[in-house]
Amino acid sequence: MRVVIAEDLALLRDGLIRLLSAYEFEVVEAVDNGPSLKRALVEHRPDVAVVDVRLPPTFTDEGLRAALDARREIPGLPVLVLSQHVEQLYSRELLSDSSGGIGYLLKDRVSDVKQFVEAVRRVADGGTALDPDVVSQLLTRRSREEPLKALTPREREVLELMAEGRSNAAIAAKMFVTEKAVTKHTANIFAKLGLPVSEDDNRRVLAVLAYLHA
């Protein structure tokens, strides 16, 4: 079973290599940053990726974003997140994708080597391995904020049109306002839904998913 590892701490990265190798996994590459992870996943197309969330160069959500980018090119690519943190935004996107195995474990709660190895195998086989604390944090935040209720009627109208697949220009024409006004409304929507600035269009997709879910 071929594995790609992404971990910036050298000791932990080496430990994961030795551990998985001892259980007859083939570690095809181990990287320490987000761009290298994306390249390694697309190049090797492993049976499973074991990924930390916070990697160089930003030390924010680089690892998780690289894994999501790779899954867009390789649908169903199994990903097991192994992190000290629960990253709210991209975790929801990852867990909402039903294609391929998915896992999210917290490092400080992994106390049994065999259970960890079983989790890696389960994700590689298309299953799930979720730490209860991860699920709890995601659900608690969602239920506590109830973000759609914070939207103004105008913002909700923009979101409804966004859900129809309309661009900002098309929304502006439909609402008889300027495109600049629509851009301001969408920025407010993203802020109220807790969707931080991103270099791609994930925020728009996630905003629509939140609307459809509600």
Side-chain angles (χ1 to χ4, degrees):
M1 194 171 288
R2 301 165 64 252
V3 186
V4 165
I5 295 172
E7 170 58 57
D8 65 302
L9 296 177
L11 287 176
L12 182 52
R13 185 171 62 252
D14 186 65
L16 286 170
I17 294 172
R18 292 173 183 272
L19 171 63
L20 292 175
S21 297
Y23 281 84
E24 300 182 348
F25 289 87
E26 179 189 357
V27 179
V28 293
E29 189 166 352
V31 301
D32 64 357
N33 62 81
S36 294
L37 171 59
K38 169 72 181 300
R39 175 199 53 75
L41 293 176
V42 173
E43 178 181 331
H44 295 292
R45 296 176 177 253
D47 297 304
V48 62
V50 179
V51 177
D52 190 7
V53 170
R54 299 185 177 182
L55 295 175
T58 66
F59 288 102
T60 54
D61 50 23
E62 202 77 13
L64 194 48
R65 288 176 56 192
L68 286 168
D69 287 345
R71 279 174 65 94
R72 294 187 188 98
E73 296 190 31
I74 313 170
L77 174 69
V79 174
L80 172 61
V81 177
L82 181 63
S83 179
Q84 290 179 320
H85 312 279
V86 179
E87 201 290 325
Q88 297 280 352
L89 172 59
Y90 293 104
S91 297
R92 292 200 297 270
E93 181 180 354
L94 178 67
L95 298 177
S96 67
D97 185 353
S98 60
S99 62
I102 292 296
Y104 203 128
L105 302 178
L106 298 178
K107 291 177 180 177
D108 59 359
R109 286 172 53 85
V110 176
S111 57
D112 187 289
V113 168
K114 289 186 177 180
Q115 286 183 359
F116 170 69
V117 171
E118 288 173 2
V120 176
R121 293 190 187 279
R122 187 159 64 250
V123 171
D125 289 338
T128 58
L130 300 177
D131 188 300
D133 274 10
V134 173
V135 176
S136 176
Q137 288 189 46
L138 292 175
L139 292 179
T140 298
R141 181 183 178 187
R142 178 180 291 273
S143 62
R144 183 177 66 246
E145 293 181 350
E146 299 183 5
L148 290 181
K149 292 184 177 180
L151 300 182
T152 66
R154 203 65 164 167
E155 290 164 355
R156 193 171 183 100
E157 184 179 0
V158 169
L159 183 54
E160 289 173 356
L161 294 171
M162 198 184 298
E164 295 176 5
R166 298 174 188 261
S167 65
N168 282 3
I171 293 173
K174 178 72 174 179
M175 297 178 63
F176 301 103
V177 297
T178 65
E179 192 170 346
K180 184 177 180 180
V182 174
T183 299
K184 182 178 179 180
H185 285 313
T186 57
N188 290 339
I189 291 169
F190 295 151
K192 291 178 180 180
L193 294 182
L195 304 176
V197 175
S198 171
E199 295 178 356
D200 51 32
D201 293 330
N202 285 336
R203 294 193 302 168
R204 200 174 185 92
V205 174
L206 290 172
V208 170
L209 287 175
Y211 168 74
L212 294 175
H213 177 76

